[in-house]
Amino acid sequence: MWLKSDSLIKSIIGCGLLVIAVCVSAQPLTVGVIGRSSTDGADITSYYEDVLRLALEKTRASHGDFIIQQRPFEASIDRVKAMLQSSSGVDVIWASVTPERLQKMRYIDVNLLHDLNNYRALLIRKSDLAKFQNIQSLAELRSLSTGNGSNWTDTRVMQANGFKVVTAVDFGLLVKMLTAKRFDFISRGMHEVGMDLAMFSAQNIAVVPNLVLKYSVPVSYGLFVRKGDELLAKRLEKGLAIAREDGSLDMLMEQTELFNVGRNLLAKHPKIIEIDNSVILQ
């Protein structure tokens, strides 16, 4: 009888020690992201990181602690995607939703930008404001040249709509090319122009106040993780669902001041020219 009881007690103690050991050795979840291109607060990457942090924080009690680790800034979205897919220190990225990305990565369904991603502002030289004042159609705008990132989805849209497009990998270089009169404008998302004006305030650039482009087909902008990383995917989906339900996700976007330039531009009811973006949805 004693032998059985003694054996039972040892087993219980052993199980308890095992549980304690597992708890002690459990490490916080490390989530790698690409860091900001600017440290002066003018980079909307901070908003995407805040969304990620919100989702992880909402699931801290159920899933445990976490660490968001910033990797060195990469200008190329293709490079960032490759790092994600090859587990090279990047676990989450944020990008427009395209069929190609849905096929290669695991999409986390969250409307990060509402409709700001569906409208495009025109970033120009301040001295050219008068040139854009009377443009009323896509054909008239097409007579001007545009600069775009060599790996942006919007570059394919502009090319498919007959624009002469000058490309560069780095956005900072594009701004320099704009001011050097290599082309006439850069098409930018409404969520981006506040950041652009803040980061390049010394470059004498401006946003056309009376004209915007609108994609013919709405494009979502969300989070992506690696295919097969269901643990992280499910945690983010749960956390975002909680944040949507309690209103904290919408509040986070509303409080992001860098979006105000785009919001205010749309609120002034500018001339809207629709542009066919179906090429990126094929």
Side-chain angles (χ1 to χ4, degrees), residues 162-176:
F163 282 89
K164 177 186 176 182
V165 182
V166 180
T167 63
V169 173
D170 182 69
F171 179 69
L173 179 57
L174 279 174
V175 173
K176 290 180 180 179

Side-chain angles (χ1 to χ4, degrees), residues 203-222:
Q203 300 298 320
N204 291 316
I205 58 175
V207 172
V208 176
N210 61 305
L211 177 67
V212 301
L213 299 177
K214 181 183 181 182
Y215 283 154
S216 58
V217 182
V219 178
S220 297
Y221 197 97

